[in-house]
Every structure is written in structure tokens, then in C-alpha cells.
Amino acid sequence: MCFCPHFSIRSCLQPISLLFIPPSTSTTTVTDQEMPLHHFIFSFLTLAFCPTSSVAAAASKEQTLNTQDAEFFNPKLPPRTLSSSKRFEGSSNLVDLRYHMGPVLSSSPINIYLIWYGRWSLSQKLLIKDFITSISPSATPSPSPSVSEWWKTVSLYTDQTGANVSRTLVVAREHSDARYSHGYHLTRLSVQQVIATAVKAAPFPVDHRNGIYLILTSHDVTVQDFCRAVCGFHYFTFPSMVGYTMPYAWIGNSGKQCPEVCAYPFAVPGYMGGGGPGALLPPNGDVGLDGMISVIAHELAELTTNPLVNAWYAGEDPTAPTEIGDLCEGLYGTGGGGGYIGQVIRGRKGRTYNMNGNKGRKFLVQWIWSPALKACAGPNALD
């Protein structure tokens, strides 16, 4: 489930942990089944705390703070009456994120097996891989705020032995399926068939202990519920489909299909015209890819802390868990919540970001729930 949305309440879809998207203006339901009553109650309680934020400290500053080559800005700060809390954005004592005794990905390094489904350019692949490699600590660290600092919050989560989620992620192997071996439309089950094909053809190893299988679909591939209800999801493979149980995630490129839904705030829905903030310039000049990177970050954070859907999540129903990314979706900086993305950074060319990566890359990545602060947190926090 997802609370603290970008600009509207997201739909909930089971049985897979999802990065949810805002509903359209249509009244058509996008859920697979009716949401239990306790989910509605929990979402109401959480949403009630989304607008409260820690802008009190930041509010005393200028809305625009100049730095050497960029400026902090917020396209629309919330009223001060909604910003009296001195805690981090999204904080709430009512969020009951608990550990359910399952494994986390603590073995180092975490091996990512990339599956490029469809046609991808070299520059697109390099951008995504640069983000993934930016997560790990480096001998020459990126300037703060950095992607590696953002991942420190993920690494605070532990298993029952006290072992933390690994700080190191590497792209172990890649497989390109430019021939669309399973067609131009994928279902949730055929996504697993794509993994099975990659395991046989690459060949990818069967990496139970510290492997993640990351399926990325190009802009011309449609996926079940993509744009309508989800932008990405994670789960684990079925032995009957792949032969083994392995954690995986899927994320699609929304650039041609629904950028206003899955690449927000780099594109905004038409119904927001006039009243809300306009679309922001993406840090790498690609609305679809830049929006996709935040979804990848969301899914990697949740997949490493809840790989078999029995570790870290809130709520009582493991088929519809609220995970560490769901709790903070739509939050990118100080002052965020209730539809406000928060204080972020604008470069000299007007491009928007909140984290630095390797090779001078810049990214806009959502915050995640901190078990220490019991609130959403990110490395670009101003308070």
C-alpha cells in the first residue's frame, strides 16, 4: 500500500508489493479485490500525518538558498500552519513498521542481474547503471547529498541475527532481450518467464543468497496494470515458473505511455494545470528514464529489506504490505508531504535533483522510512 502520495491517494493492488500511482479522474476501480477496512483506516491515519513536516527550521530560511552552482528551492511550500512539526517529513507514531522474522539481503555484495527487455540505447543503459553503482561506498565519494548516503538509511534494517542490509550493490551480469521474446505485452506471470529465459540464455546463475533480478522494460512494452495501477513492483519467482525462488523487481519506462503518472514531477497530469506546480526539468534530460530511476530506487530499497515479503513492512496482511518506500512516496526533501515534493535542488540549467551520483550524475530520488527516526529521511534534509 502507499500513503503520502505525490498528489492523490494511490490505488492498492495485491498480491505484489508495488510502487503505486495516482488514479485517473475516472471512477473505475484499479484494485484486484476490495481493500479490507483496516487498510482504509490505516491509510487515513497515515495520510493525516503526511502534511506535518519539519519545515519549521527551514521556514525561517529563504525559500531559495544559493550555493556555488545550484540553489535549493521548493516549487510550492505548504502553509506554515501545516508545518509546525520539528520532526522529519511523514513522521508519525501511528506507523507500525515491524520486523516479521524473514531474511533481508545482508550478504555483500548484493548482485544485481539486469534484464533489458526491449530496445535500449547505450546511453539509457549507462544512466541506469550509473545510478545503481552510485549506491555503494566509493574511494572517491560523490558530493553530499549523495545516493550512497541515501542508501545508508536502507542499511539500518537488520535481520533476526542483527545483520544489516548490505551497503554494496554491484551489477553482476546483464542480459538483453531486444527481440521481445515474450511479446510486446507482459503479464505478471510472463515477467517471470522473462527471468526464466534470461537464466537459461545468459546464463544467469541461480543466486539465492544475495541476488536480485531486475527486469526493465522499454517504452514500447506494455505490462499488466502498468500506468493504470503500478509503475513497478517486486516479488519472488515461483519454482513452477523459473525453477527457483528468487527475489526480483520489474520497472517500466513510462516516457511514451504515462509520464504524468510514473515520472511525476517531471510531467504532471492535465487536471493539475493552473493550480499546482508545473513540471520540473529532469536532471539527465530524459523524463521517462529520470522518473524510472526513482521507481528503481523505491523497489531496490523494499526488495532488500523485504525480499520474500516476510521481513520489514507495516500492516497485518503480507499480501498487501506497506513497505519502507511506500511510506514516503512523493517525498523528496524538507517540507514535503500532502502533495508537496519538498525542498530540492535546481542546477544552473534549471534541472531538478536531490542527490549526487558517480561520474557527476545527478538524480531525483524519493526519501525512505528511517527505523531510527521513525520518519521519512533523505540526505538532502535541511533540518
Side-chain angles (χ1 to χ4, degrees):
M1 294 175 65
C2 178
F3 313 116
C4 298
H6 287 153
F7 42 81
S8 61
I9 300 176
R10 305 302 168 89
S11 303
C12 301
L13 190 63
Q14 62 86 35
I16 304 174
S17 171
L18 309 166
L19 176 55
F20 297 93
I21 59 178
S24 66
T25 53
S26 165
T27 57
T28 304
T29 180
V30 295
T31 57
D32 284 345
Q33 64 177 22
E34 274 189 47
M35 191 191 309
L37 178 61
H38 70 273
H39 286 172
F40 280 107
I41 296 172
F42 184 76
S43 63
F44 171 78
L45 293 174
T46 309
L47 279 168
F49 281 81
C50 286
T52 57
S53 59
S54 56
V55 212
S60 63
K61 305 178 182 179
E62 295 283 335
Q63 278 198 17
T64 299
L65 302 176
N66 293 320
T67 61
Q68 185 176 2
D69 61 348
E71 60 182 9
F72 291 98
F73 87 107
N74 188 325
K76 193 171 183 181
L77 282 170
R80 293 194 180 190
T81 55
L82 298 180
S83 308
S84 58
S85 172
K86 297 186 186 305
R87 302 189 65 186
F88 281 68
E89 286 58 33
S91 61
S92 171
N93 292 327
L94 296 177
V95 174
D96 186 21
L97 183 74
R98 291 186 292 131
Y99 177 56
H100 296 80
M101 305 306 290
V104 302
L105 296 186
S106 58
S107 298
S108 189
I110 296 172
N111 294 319
I112 295 182
Y113 300 95
L114 275 172
I115 301 173
W116 305 98
Y117 191 85
R119 292 186 176 91
W120 293 86
S121 68
L122 177 61
S123 62
Q124 289 176 322
K125 291 181 178 181
L126 288 176
L127 176 59
I128 290 176
K129 288 192 290 184
D130 283 347
F131 170 74
I132 293 173
T133 57
S134 296
I135 291 174
S136 303
S138 171
T140 55
S142 304
S144 184
S146 70
V147 176
S148 181
E149 292 171 338
W150 171 82
W151 190 261
K152 283 183 179 179
T153 301
V154 181
S155 69
L156 295 176
Y157 289 87
T158 63
D159 62 16
Q160 56 187 307
T161 70
N164 295 78
V165 169
S166 174
R167 288 288 312 278
T168 305
L169 283 75
V170 298
V171 177
R173 293 191 187 179
E174 302 175 58
H175 172 65
S176 293
D177 192 339
R179 295 186 177 183
Y180 304 85
S181 63
H182 294 273
Y184 287 84
H185 175 74
L186 301 177
T187 65
R188 298 184 185 218
L189 287 180
S190 62
V191 165
Q192 295 199 26
Q193 292 173 342
V194 171
I195 300 174
T197 298
V199 169
K200 294 176 183 177
F204 279 175
V206 177
D207 194 346
H208 298 282
R209 186 174 178 82
N210 55 344
I212 288 177
Y213 297 80
L214 188 60
I215 304 94
L216 307 177
T217 51
S218 56
H219 66 85
D220 54 348
V221 177
T222 59
V223 178
Q224 180 184 355
D225 296 319
F226 184 34
C227 295
R228 187 182 72 89
V230 299
C231 300
F233 61 74
H234 77 84
Y235 205 54
F236 51 83
T237 60
F238 304 143
S240 60
M241 298 291 294
V242 182
Y244 308 92
T245 299
M246 303 180 293
Y248 75 92
W250 159 81
I251 300 95
N253 183 345
S254 67
K256 299 292 185 180
Q257 298 183 49
C258 57
E260 73 284 356
V261 174
C262 291
Y264 182 87
F266 304 129
V268 298
Y271 61 79
M272 288 185 65
L280 304 180
L281 291 179
N284 299 286
D286 189 320
V287 169
L289 262 289
D290 279 304
M292 193 178 184
I293 282 171
S294 188
V295 185
I296 291 172
H298 176 117
E299 297 302 337
L300 287 178
E302 294 184 342
L303 190 53
T304 54
T305 56
N306 196 27
L308 300 180
V309 200
N310 60 358
W312 288 96
Y313 63 87
E316 299 300 325
D317 185 358
T319 66
T322 301
E323 299 172 286
I324 68 171
D326 300 328
L327 289 166
C328 304
E329 188 185 349
L331 291 171
Y332 297 87
T334 298
Y340 303 100
I341 68 168
Q343 199 92 350
V344 292
I345 306 169
R346 182 168 55 195
R348 286 180 176 174
K349 294 183 179 180
R351 296 182 177 181
T352 310
Y353 64 99
N354 63 350
M355 298 178 200
N356 295 292
N358 293 345
K359 303 177 183 178
R361 297 281 198 185
K362 301 183 187 303
F363 305 102
L364 186 70
V365 178
Q366 71 151 91
W367 284 11
I368 50 178
W369 188 264
S370 166
L373 297 170
K374 298 190 183 305
C376 299
N380 59 309
L382 299 178
D383 44 6

